[in-house]
Amino acid sequence: MSEHCIIIGASHAAAQLVSSLRQEGWEGKISLIGDEPNLPYHRPPLSKAFFVGEKTEDELLIRAADFYDKNNVDLLLGSRVTKIDRDAKKITLEDGAEISYTKLALTTGARVRKIPFTGCELAGVFYMRDLNDVKQTHKFTGPGKSAVIIGGGYIGLETAASLRKIGMNVIVIEAMERVLQRVTAPEVSAFYTRVHTEEGVDIRTQAGVDAIVGEKHVTGVRLADGTTVPADLVIIGVGVIPNVELAEEAGLTIDNGIAVNEFATTNDPDIVAAGDCTNHYNPIYDRKLRLESVQNATDQAKIAAKSICGKPEAYNALPWFWSDQYDLKLQIAGLSQGFDQVIIRGNSEQDRSFAAFYFSEGRFIAVDAINRPKEFMMSKRALTSGQTADPLKLADETIEIKDVFN
């Protein structure tokens, strides 16, 4: 059988994998299968620029259509894989068609976590995960209309900022004590609460949802305390779940994602995986991680391509992320989970620019840099090399950040 790599999942990782396979010298056939009818596209703008009409569908594409033609990629979009037969080395599609492979890549991503609220089937209620979701919301948006966002994570807050930008009334409902509670320090949560409040968003924490109300179309959200807030649009953003079912049914090891080694290879040497669906070991933090980020999807796909092409290279990238809200660009380097000390550089209570440095047992582990590109870049370099910094110097803005890390 001639060499044939099948990629399941038309995601960020998939687009990078196609490119990297050809760059690494793969001369065999490549097939890309995705259950959406679209070419791989950027997802972060869905809650931002695309949501408010600043980007078109074509501008969302990671690679233009001719890229796949030039690289001789067989596209099977709008198709779903129902089975992987590892012994026969073939996959089965929903229509019954079978395709053989010599190498298989799983870039199946993640899906939204759905909570069965009463009324969630009403028109005007959406989860923000794919292009079609966002396209459908446009008929429910507009100046003066009201939106309720359930979930005060990054997606919820980014969506809130986008809706305020077009003049909508916005309420954010968060069940925990503060927004971004799982991923940031209290100081950062307080900052975003302040900024969103200044921009006109009503943020309600420690608030539960009893039901979404309306007849055919949503008209409001009834909270656990009995109050009902008006809504022409409801966005639910309460996290995602990795798509591992196909891999699990095929007998691949699952551990909060598809388990891969440092070479992005599963327990089947002919099957790699990359992106949101995977769980991998990170040597910088000495633990297993499942990351939901464009950076991880892209970098891990490069490693997966090398493994497919017989050029194994260990994956040891520092996790980093970003979030755009209003005039704020948050850049995160590293992982702050488990911190026991936070150092603030700047004034988080009054300004719109500062950095929060996280430490664990004296070790520098992460930074949240809001409109602070120098702090982000210096921290990213330090975290990658294992360098630490004096907390007192970090807090002192009379000392240049480049001198703190020297």
Side-chain angles (χ1 to χ4, degrees):
M1 178 183 174
S2 57
E3 293 290 304
H4 183 195
C5 179
I6 295 178
I7 304 170
I8 302 176
S11 58
H12 278 275
Q16 183 61 54
L17 195 51
V18 168
S19 176
S20 294
L21 279 172
R22 292 306 188 205
Q23 290 172 359
E24 297 295 340
W26 180 264
E27 296 180 352
K29 184 178 179 180
I30 300 175
S31 294
L32 174 58
I33 305 172
D35 55 11
E36 290 185 63
N38 313 292
L39 291 168
Y41 58 87
H42 291 282
R43 292 184 185 272
L46 292 181
S47 60
K48 299 184 279 287
F50 182 74
F51 196 27
V52 296
E54 293 176 351
K55 279 187 178 290
T56 65
E57 284 189 50
D58 284 345
E59 289 174 319
L60 288 183
L61 295 179
I62 298 172
R63 305 278 186 174
D66 62 356
F67 164 81
Y68 301 94
D69 292 333
K70 291 176 182 176
N71 284 282
N72 194 25
V73 178
D74 184 18
L75 295 172
L76 289 85
L77 303 177
S79 299
R80 186 181 297 274
V81 177
T82 58
K83 182 181 179 182
I84 299 169
D85 186 336
R86 291 167 52 200
D87 292 330
K89 299 189 77 168
K90 66 182 180 182
I91 57 101
T92 303
L93 299 178
E94 200 168 33
D95 62 6
E98 295 181 343
I99 308 174
S100 297
Y101 67 85
T102 54
K103 297 289 183 180
L104 184 65
L106 303 178
T107 57
T108 49
R111 64 186 182 277
V112 293
R113 185 184 301 279
K114 295 193 175 183
I115 298 178
F117 295 115
T118 299
C120 63
E121 76 287 347
L122 292 170
V125 180
F126 297 95
Y127 290 88
M128 297 279 281
R129 183 59 183 177
D130 60 38
L131 185 60
N132 187 58
D133 290 337
V134 181
K135 287 167 64 176
Q136 295 300 315
T137 66
H138 289 161
K139 66 183 77 170
F140 301 98
T141 60
K145 291 187 176 182
S146 296
V148 172
I149 299 170
I150 301 173
Y154 285 120
I155 293 297
L157 295 183
E158 289 170 359
T159 304
S162 296
L163 291 174
R164 284 299 297 146
K165 193 172 185 178
I166 59 175
M168 289 189 69
N169 304 309
V170 182
I171 297 176
V172 173
I173 308 297
E174 170 54 52
M176 303 186 82
E177 293 182 358
R178 55 186 174 88
V179 298
L180 304 174
Q181 183 164 328
R182 293 185 180 89
V183 292
T184 59
E187 293 90 339
V188 180
S189 294
F191 168 81
Y192 275 102
T193 297
R194 171 176 69 83
V195 169
H196 276 277
T197 301
E198 290 172 352
E199 296 287 347
V201 176
D202 181 356
I203 292 184
R204 303 190 187 188
T205 56
Q206 293 182 285
V209 173
D210 181 51
I212 299 170
V213 298
E215 293 186 3
K216 293 183 179 179
H217 182 285
V218 60
T219 58
V221 175
R222 186 169 66 244
L223 304 182
D225 64 5
T227 60
T228 298
V229 293
D232 301 293
L233 170 70
V234 173
I235 302 293
I236 304 172
V238 288
V240 298
I241 301 170
N243 293 319
V244 301
E245 290 77 10
L246 194 63
E248 188 170 27
E249 290 168 5
L252 298 179
T253 301
I254 306 299
D255 178 15
N256 182 29
I258 302 170
V260 296
N261 61 17
E262 65 269 39
F263 307 111
T265 302
T266 68
N267 55 298
D268 185 321
D270 291 319
I271 302 179
V272 299
D276 291 11
C277 64
T278 67
N279 188 322
H280 70 281
Y281 173 76
N282 183 284
I284 295 175
Y285 292 93
D286 190 26
R287 69 177 190 263
K288 292 182 178 179
L289 303 173
R290 189 179 65 78
L291 299 173
E292 298 159 10
S293 76
V294 173
Q295 168 265 330
N296 175 65
T298 301
D299 290 349
Q300 198 174 38
K302 294 176 182 178
I303 296 299
K306 288 179 178 291
S307 291
I308 288 173
C309 295
K311 305 174 182 179
E313 181 180 307
Y315 181 45
N316 62 352
L318 176 77
W320 59 272
F321 316 84
W322 76 89
S323 177
D324 295 323
Q325 301 170 44
Y326 308 113
D327 59 335
L328 311 173
K329 185 166 191 67
L330 166 63
Q331 295 172 292
I332 303 167
L335 301 173
S336 63
Q337 287 79 5
F339 71 90
D340 54 29
Q341 183 184 18
V342 180
I343 300 298
I344 302 298
R345 183 179 177 88
N347 190 332
S348 65
E349 296 180 359
Q350 295 180 335
D351 297 338
R352 291 168 83 109
S353 169
F354 75 99
F357 299 88
Y358 297 84
F359 288 79
S360 176
E361 298 180 347
R363 179 192 172 202
F364 176 42
I365 58 172
V367 66
D368 291 340
I370 294 114
N371 292 340
R372 294 280 180 127
K374 288 183 180 178
E375 279 83 347
F376 170 71
M377 291 306 299
M378 293 301 299
S379 296
K380 188 179 175 186
R381 186 181 306 166
L383 289 164
T384 300
S385 64
Q387 190 178 358
T388 191
D390 182 339
L392 293 178
K393 290 183 178 179
L394 281 174
D396 186 351
E397 288 203 274
T398 65
I399 304 174
E400 289 285 336
I401 192 66
K402 63 181 177 63
D403 297 325
V404 174
F405 286 107
N406 281 339

